[in-house]
Amino acid sequence: MEILIISGLSGAGKSKAASFLEDMGFYIVDNMPAAMILKFAEFCAGGSSRYDRVALVYDVRTASSFDELFDVLDKLKAMDGVCRMLFLEASPETIIKRYKETRRRHPLADRTDSLENAVRQERELMEPVRQRADFIVDTSRTSTAQLRAQLLHHFVTETEQGSMAVSVTSFGFKYGLPLDADLVFDVRFMPNPFYIEELRPQTGLDKPVADYVMGFRQTTDYLKRLEDLLAFSLPLYAEEGKTGLVIAVGCTGGHHRSVAVAHALAEFIRRQGYQVSESHRDMSRG
């Protein structure tokens, strides 16, 4: 079991970080009091795999005593599994600007006479928590994509790149482009099994058709170049913050060439460690 405590300054990006971590497979609980964290951890340890990775948002609104939080942290670290703390911060100028842009009230606004004093007071209050953090991320000059990339770096292993789901589909140009496609590849230049009588009723998922399509050098050369392109670009899409990518491969009718190539691409992407779904939009058309 993995437990991550998300803490930090109001306006530094805790909600955005929690949203990204949820996409990465964490079960998120917001504003849980320290007194309840240990009981919740014990519940998760004896529960289903849904609670294998839990992220708990803890901030100045929840705090009654940081000593209580630190006692809970020490007990969690002594349990089986992993317990870490992420602390998000930003410069006072950045936080003040964000609050003025969103027109939200600072959690300590009732305790002070100005937003500037509320921000300063929270920074002082949260300093002991900051000192206990395993990871500190300053979001003052960090875009949402860069924040997500840092979270991926800290909390997702290389074998879990599947935080970006990739969908590979084949289609026929005669029926129109898939509207949700991010990348479209045209394989109509490849020799067409449609003109081979015994292959015509089969599809690109059938071995005789796949062997025919892959039996030409232009096909294997093109596929190798596509694989090189995707090996280079998929990590960049994931780093930029894309959670889903749709790759469409088209031929004339969507029965033979596009199906065989889409299937081969899906297998390649799966070997790279990504979550892959494969579909063939027009393969069953008459």
Side-chain angles (χ1 to χ4, degrees):
M1 182 181 66
E2 179 179 359
I3 295 179
L4 176 66
I5 308 295
I6 306 171
S7 190
L9 304 179
S10 303
K14 295 189 298 296
S15 296
K16 182 63 70 175
S19 177
F20 287 146
L21 288 164
E22 187 172 26
D23 291 340
M24 297 172 196
F26 282 83
Y27 182 85
I28 307 297
V29 181
D30 196 10
N31 296 332
M32 177 172 285
M36 296 179 60
I37 291 177
L38 195 59
K39 292 181 179 179
F40 183 73
E42 292 171 350
F43 165 77
C44 293
S48 66
S49 59
R50 181 186 183 190
Y51 304 110
D52 284 346
R53 308 182 81 190
V54 176
L56 308 174
V57 181
Y58 182 92
D59 58 28
V60 72
R61 295 169 297 171
T62 318
S64 56
S65 167
F66 291 141
D67 290 339
E68 186 176 32
L69 172 65
F70 298 153
D71 181 59
V72 168
L73 282 175
D74 291 338
K75 291 178 179 177
L76 288 174
K77 289 180 180 293
M79 294 173 61
D80 290 337
V82 177
C83 176
R84 296 178 289 180
M85 180 187 288
L86 166 68
F87 190 94
L88 293 145
E89 64 181 8
S91 68
E93 297 78 13
T94 300
I95 291 177
I96 290 170
K97 180 181 178 182
R98 289 173 181 172
Y99 268 98
K100 287 184 175 179
E101 287 175 347
T102 60
R103 300 184 179 181
R104 295 175 55 209
R105 281 178 59 81
H106 192 278
L108 300 184
D110 293 336
R111 303 187 194 179
T112 62
D113 57 0
S114 69
L115 175 59
E116 290 81 358
N117 285 336
V119 171
R120 177 185 55 78
Q121 187 177 116
E122 183 187 31
R123 183 175 292 271
E124 293 173 358
L125 284 171
M126 296 297 289
E127 180 59 26
V129 180
R130 184 184 187 277
Q131 293 178 5
R132 288 292 303 265
D134 299 285
F135 306 97
I136 298 174
V137 175
D138 189 328
T139 65
S140 301
R141 296 181 176 84
T142 302
S143 68
T144 54
Q146 290 169 335
L147 174 59
R148 185 178 187 277
Q150 289 193 51
L151 296 177
L152 281 169
H153 173 72
H154 289 309
F155 304 113
V156 176
T157 66
E158 290 185 6
T159 58
E160 294 175 317
Q161 293 182 61
S163 56
M164 181 179 74
V166 182
S167 175
V168 181
T169 184
S170 66
F171 71 97
F173 275 96
K174 65 191 291 185
Y175 303 113
L177 291 170
L179 297 179
D180 59 346
D182 296 297
L183 301 175
V184 177
F185 299 112
D186 183 354
V187 297
R188 286 176 292 185
F189 65 88
M190 296 177 182
N192 194 347
F194 178 83
Y195 298 107
I196 309 297
E197 187 174 352
E198 60 270 24
L199 299 181
R200 187 178 303 162
Q202 301 183 53
T203 74
L205 295 179
D206 293 310
K207 190 174 185 302
V209 173
D211 288 346
Y212 178 85
V213 173
M214 299 298 172
F216 293 89
R217 183 170 180 178
Q218 58 260 50
T219 300
T220 54
D221 286 353
Y222 184 71
L223 192 58
K224 177 61 169 62
R225 285 165 171 77
L226 286 186
E227 290 175 349
D228 290 342
L229 172 65
L230 294 174
F232 172 78
S233 58
L234 289 181
L236 299 181
Y237 281 120
E239 183 178 327
E240 184 60 23
K242 202 166 184 62
T243 57
L245 187 74
V246 179
I247 300 172
V249 181
C251 63
T252 304
H255 285 262
H256 302 107
R257 296 168 291 181
S258 63
V259 174
V261 173
H263 180 69
L265 279 182
E267 290 298 312
F268 169 78
I269 295 168
R270 190 172 288 110
R271 291 195 299 272
Q272 303 306 300
Y274 295 91
Q275 300 177 47
V276 183
S277 62
E278 178 183 341
S279 62
H280 304 284
R281 191 191 70 179
D282 301 321
M283 188 174 69
S284 61
R285 287 182 183 262

